[in-house]
Amino acid sequence: MTARPEHLPERLARISDMQAAEFISSGLLAGREDVPSIALNKVAEPLAGDDERGRLHPVRELIEEALREFQGTRPTAADAWLAPRLHATLRLSRREAADAGLWSYLALGVAPDYVVWRHRPEPKADEAPNGVARKRFLGPHHTQAFARLWWAAELFRDGSDYKPVVRACGNQDMLNTTLRLDVIDHRPTAQALVRLMDRKIVQTGREVNALVAAVNASAATLMYDVIAPDVEYDSEALREWIAAAETSRAVSRHVLPEGPEEEHAPEGAVESLAAHFEGLFADVSVRRRAPDERG
C-alpha cells in the first residue's frame, strides 16, 4: 500500500493542477506506489509567511490519528471524525479554501496514504480490485479527498458548533450530494436538512437523495433565503478565530473542537424550512410508491 511521504517539510504548500497531474500514476491510484515526495516538494510552492496555520506537521499528525482510530473499520466512518477537526486545524477563510492547489498538495504531499486508504473501493468477489479515482487527488471541492471534508464542515457547522457536521458526514449520501448544490450555502437550509435526519424522517441513502433532490428542485421557484432569512454575516468572528490559531492547542481527538464564534442559524428559520422540507419529502414518498402500495 501507498506509504507515508518520505519527506515532509515544515510548511504546507500548494501545487498547480498541471504539476500535480504528473505525480498521479496508475501505480499510486492502485495503491502500489508511493509519491516521490522530494521531487514533489521541489515543484510545490510553500505557503507564504511563518504563521501557525501554515505548519504541516499538525495536519499530518491529525491524519495519522484518523488512520489509527479507524483502522479495521469501514473507511467511510472516518469522514465524520476528520471533517470538523481538519477544519479547525487549518482555520482557513473561504477564499483560502478555494485554492485547489492547497488541497492537491495535502493529498499528494502530506497524506497520499490516507487518500488511498479512504477512497480505494472495496474489492468485489472474483473481481480485480479497482484503484482510487483520480478526482480524489485532483478534483473539484465536492470530490477531492480533503476539500470535500473542509467544505462539509464549513457548510454544515452551526456557528461554532460542529455537531451538525458530524451528523451530515455520517451519511455518505448527504455528504456527497449536497456539496454539489448551491442551495446548501444557505445556513438554515443546511441545518434543516440535518434536523430531518435527527428526527429520523430521512434515514437511508435513498431517502436522503430523494429529499435533497426535492429541496433543490423547490429552490428553483421558492427563495429560501427570503422565506427563512439568516442573520447578517459577521466577518470579525472568523478573523478572530483565525488569529487565535497562533496560541491555540491541537484539536482534541476525543472532544469536538469549536469553530468561529458566529451566531447560530436562526431557530425560526431552521424550523420553518424543516417543516417545509418534511412536506416535500412526504409528497415525494407518496408519488414514488408503487400503485398497489397506495391506499
Side-chain angles (χ1 to χ4, degrees), residues 210-223:
L211 169 65
V212 172
V215 167
N216 192 52
S218 175
T221 56
L222 192 64
M223 299 181 68

Side-chain angles (χ1 to χ4, degrees), residues 49-131:
D50 59 357
D51 62 305
E52 188 71 17
R53 294 187 305 143
R55 291 181 60 221
L56 183 149
H57 289 278
V59 180
R60 179 63 210 186
E61 290 165 5
L62 178 67
I63 290 168
E64 288 183 356
E65 182 66 23
L67 286 167
R68 286 192 294 269
E69 183 76 16
F70 295 94
Q71 200 64 243
T73 67
R74 295 195 65 167
T76 53
D79 288 350
W81 185 91
L82 184 55
R85 290 170 173 85
L86 181 68
H87 187 274
T89 297
L90 291 172
R91 299 202 182 205
L92 302 172
S93 67
R94 289 193 178 189
R95 182 178 180 180
E96 291 169 326
D99 181 3
L102 171 63
W103 303 117
S104 297
Y105 182 79
L106 280 177
L108 289 165
V110 179
D113 51 336
Y114 182 89
V115 178
V116 171
W117 172 80
R118 167 60 185 86
H119 290 288
R120 192 179 188 188
E122 294 184 9
K124 297 180 181 179
D126 302 322
E127 290 186 13
N130 293 321

Side-chain angles (χ1 to χ4, degrees), residues 233-245:
Y233 176 65
D234 177 14
S235 60
E236 184 61 27
L238 177 63
R239 286 195 294 268
E240 291 178 355
W241 184 69
I242 288 175

Side-chain angles (χ1 to χ4, degrees), residues 65-233:
E65 182 66 23
L67 286 167
R68 286 192 294 269
E69 183 76 16
F70 295 94
Q71 200 64 243
T73 67
R74 295 195 65 167
T76 53
D79 288 350
W81 185 91
L82 184 55
R85 290 170 173 85
L86 181 68
H87 187 274
T89 297
L90 291 172
R91 299 202 182 205
L92 302 172
S93 67
R94 289 193 178 189
R95 182 178 180 180
E96 291 169 326
D99 181 3
L102 171 63
W103 303 117
S104 297
Y105 182 79
L106 280 177
L108 289 165
V110 179
D113 51 336
Y114 182 89
V115 178
V116 171
W117 172 80
R118 167 60 185 86
H119 290 288
R120 192 179 188 188
E122 294 184 9
K124 297 180 181 179
D126 302 322
E127 290 186 13
N130 293 321
V132 177
R134 186 175 183 274
K135 63 187 178 182
R136 302 303 185 183
F137 286 97
L138 177 63
H141 77 279
H142 52 82
T143 59
Q144 204 273 350
F146 295 114
R148 67 193 283 272
L149 297 180
W150 190 93
W151 281 103
E154 174 67 10
L155 295 171
F156 280 104
R157 66 181 175 86
D158 190 10
S160 62
D161 185 5
Y162 283 116
K163 289 192 291 294
V165 177
V166 174
R167 296 194 288 274
C169 292
N171 185 300
Q172 288 295 301
D173 292 277
M174 180 65 76
L175 173 57
N176 294 333
T177 303
T178 54
L179 293 187
R180 302 171 185 267
L181 307 178
D182 291 339
V183 69
I184 203 64
D185 195 42
H186 181 236
R187 295 197 313 156
T189 294
Q191 296 307 312
L193 289 172
V194 172
R195 198 157 291 187
L196 264 60
M197 293 174 61
D198 288 345
R199 294 172 180 172
K200 302 189 184 304
I201 293 168
V202 293
Q203 299 183 68
T204 67
R206 187 176 180 181
E207 290 173 341
V208 166
N209 284 328
L211 169 65
V212 172
V215 167
N216 192 52
S218 175
T221 56
L222 192 64
M223 299 181 68
Y224 297 149
D225 56 345
V226 174
I227 65 170
D230 197 358
V231 296
E232 185 175 347
Y233 176 65

